[in-house]
């Protein structure tokens, strides 16, 4: 939470970070902040108090917010990879192709897709009858475990959920990986060995995070379900609900030199302001 909030503040207030790349990073940090706020407070409350109950309304609210954010992150990561592809592979056309308007449209489309899809799914799920059991076999209100509580015919909802998972997860994952393939191809052509090492270090870190996120999503939502894989599903769920929001700020932003400079400028400015007030007193 602290890392993501710091990034949001820096991207918003520092004019040196008012570029497409940091615009997307700020959006990702905003998304991760909401992401963490949706799942972890309820989880930590269960650990501390032992109370694992949740109201029906709270469960559906958590499911809606969580689903919206996951879908939005899929498209946002794809947009970020496309931005990096244009910056590295088409540097002379970058300013023209990645305009401020396009950045806003890509970001808004990511959020809008998540809201639209989850509104459709929850409208279908609200028509089901839930007569027990009242135990969700997951540490949060996920789509499949909640559907399994219904005693109605869930064929339509399950089919729509699978189609949505495939449409949202697979194409955005392929676009992201394809962008990185082109990026790595361009990096190989860099003459300087130090330049290649730095670029590869950055790309490999990003690619690891993206692979963990998409790989766990595809394993949990796209692959056929088996009774023996239920516990494994929970482990993979931890990857994209807890692990990626934790390491994204470190990989994407806090290791970045420009972000570090912006952070130092902000700290120095606050220090000067405090010194001025102390002197005035």
């Amino acid at each position: 939470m602290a890392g993501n909030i710091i990034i949001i503040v820096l991207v918003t207030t520092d004019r040196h970070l008012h570029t497409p790349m940091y615009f997307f990073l700020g959006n990702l940090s905003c998304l991760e902040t909401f992401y963490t706020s949706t799942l972890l407070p309820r989880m930590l409350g269960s650990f501390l108090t032992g109370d694992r109950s949740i109201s029906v309304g709270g469960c559906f609210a958590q499911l809606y917010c969580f689903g919206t954010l996951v879908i939005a992150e899929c498209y946002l990561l794809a947009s970020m990879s496309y931005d990096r592809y244009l910056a590295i592979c088409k540097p002379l056309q970058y300013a023209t192709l990645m305009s401020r308007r396009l950045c806003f449209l890509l970001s808004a489309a990511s959020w809008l897709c998540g809201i639209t899809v989850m509104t459709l799914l929850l409208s279908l799920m609200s028509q089901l009858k839930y007569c027990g059991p009242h135990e969700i076999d997951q540490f949060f209100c996920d789509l499949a475990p909640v559907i399994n509580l219904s005693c109605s015919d869930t064929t339509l909802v399950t089919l729509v959920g699978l189609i949505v998972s495939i449409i949202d997860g697979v194409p955005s994952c392929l676009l992201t990986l394809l962008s990185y393939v082109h990026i790595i191809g361009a990096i190989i052509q860099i003459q300087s060995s130090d330049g290649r090492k730095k670029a590869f270090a950055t790309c490999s870190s990003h690619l690891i995070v993206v692979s963990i996120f998409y790989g766990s999503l595809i394993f949990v939502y796209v692959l056929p379900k088996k009774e023996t894989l239920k516990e494994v599903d929970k482990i993979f769920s931890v990857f994209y609900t807890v692990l990626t929001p934790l390491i994204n700020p470190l990989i994407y932003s806090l290791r970045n030199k420009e972000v570090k400079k912006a952070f130092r400028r902000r700290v120095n400015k606050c220090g000067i302001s405090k010194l001025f007030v102390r002197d005035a007193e």
Side-chain angles (χ1 to χ4, degrees), residues 184-195:
I184 291 172
I187 292 173
I188 292 174
Q189 299 178 9
I190 296 176
Q191 299 297 325
S192 169
S193 59
D194 290 336

Side-chain angles (χ1 to χ4, degrees), residues 40-233:
L40 292 192
R42 175 66 267 181
M43 188 192 304
L44 294 174
S46 297
F47 289 152
L48 292 173
T49 65
D51 179 15
R52 298 185 180 183
S53 61
I54 186 171
S55 66
V56 175
C59 185
F60 272 83
Q62 187 185 67
L63 173 59
Y64 181 82
C65 294
F66 163 73
T68 298
L69 295 169
V70 167
I71 295 170
E73 184 163 358
C74 287
Y75 288 108
L76 191 59
L77 288 174
S79 301
M80 291 172 64
S81 65
Y82 178 66
D83 170 70
R84 291 298 82 205
Y85 160 73
L86 291 180
I88 295 175
C89 299
K90 298 181 182 294
L92 298 179
Q93 300 171 288
Y94 176 72
T96 304
L97 295 175
M98 188 54 69
S99 62
R100 183 175 297 182
R101 182 172 179 271
L102 179 59
C103 291
F104 176 78
L105 288 176
L106 290 174
S107 177
S110 300
W111 289 89
L112 185 61
C113 285
I115 293 171
T116 303
V117 169
M118 288 310 299
T119 301
L120 171 63
L121 283 175
L122 255 70
S123 64
L124 293 174
M125 292 178 64
S126 64
Q127 299 174 19
L128 301 176
K129 293 182 180 180
Y130 298 91
C131 49
H134 301 292
E135 293 183 0
I136 299 173
D137 191 17
Q138 184 58 284
F139 59 88
F140 65 99
C141 291
D142 201 3
L143 184 65
V146 174
I147 290 176
N148 290 338
L149 301 182
S150 174
C151 52
S152 306
D153 182 10
T154 60
T155 304
L156 178 61
V157 181
T158 304
L159 180 61
V160 172
L162 179 61
I163 293 173
V164 165
S165 300
I166 293 173
I167 292 176
D168 291 329
V170 176
S172 58
C173 177
L174 292 177
L175 177 61
T176 302
L177 293 177
L178 185 62
S179 297
Y180 275 110
V181 167
H182 285 286
I183 289 170
I184 291 172
I187 292 173
I188 292 174
Q189 299 178 9
I190 296 176
Q191 299 297 325
S192 169
S193 59
D194 290 336
R196 282 198 302 271
K197 288 179 181 178
K198 291 179 181 179
F200 267 123
T202 304
C203 285
S204 61
S205 301
H206 292 186
L207 201 55
I208 289 170
V209 175
V210 168
S211 300
I212 292 173
F213 178 76
Y214 281 115
S216 55
L217 279 183
I218 291 173
F219 185 91
V220 173
Y221 293 105
V222 178
L223 295 182
K225 301 299 169 194
K226 293 182 180 180
E227 193 68 24
T228 55
L229 295 179
K230 277 190 175 182
E231 295 303 316
V232 181
D233 278 356

Side-chain angles (χ1 to χ4, degrees), residues 273-281:
S273 299
K274 289 180 180 178
L275 183 62
F276 176 80
V277 172
R278 197 178 297 120
D279 290 343
E281 290 174 353

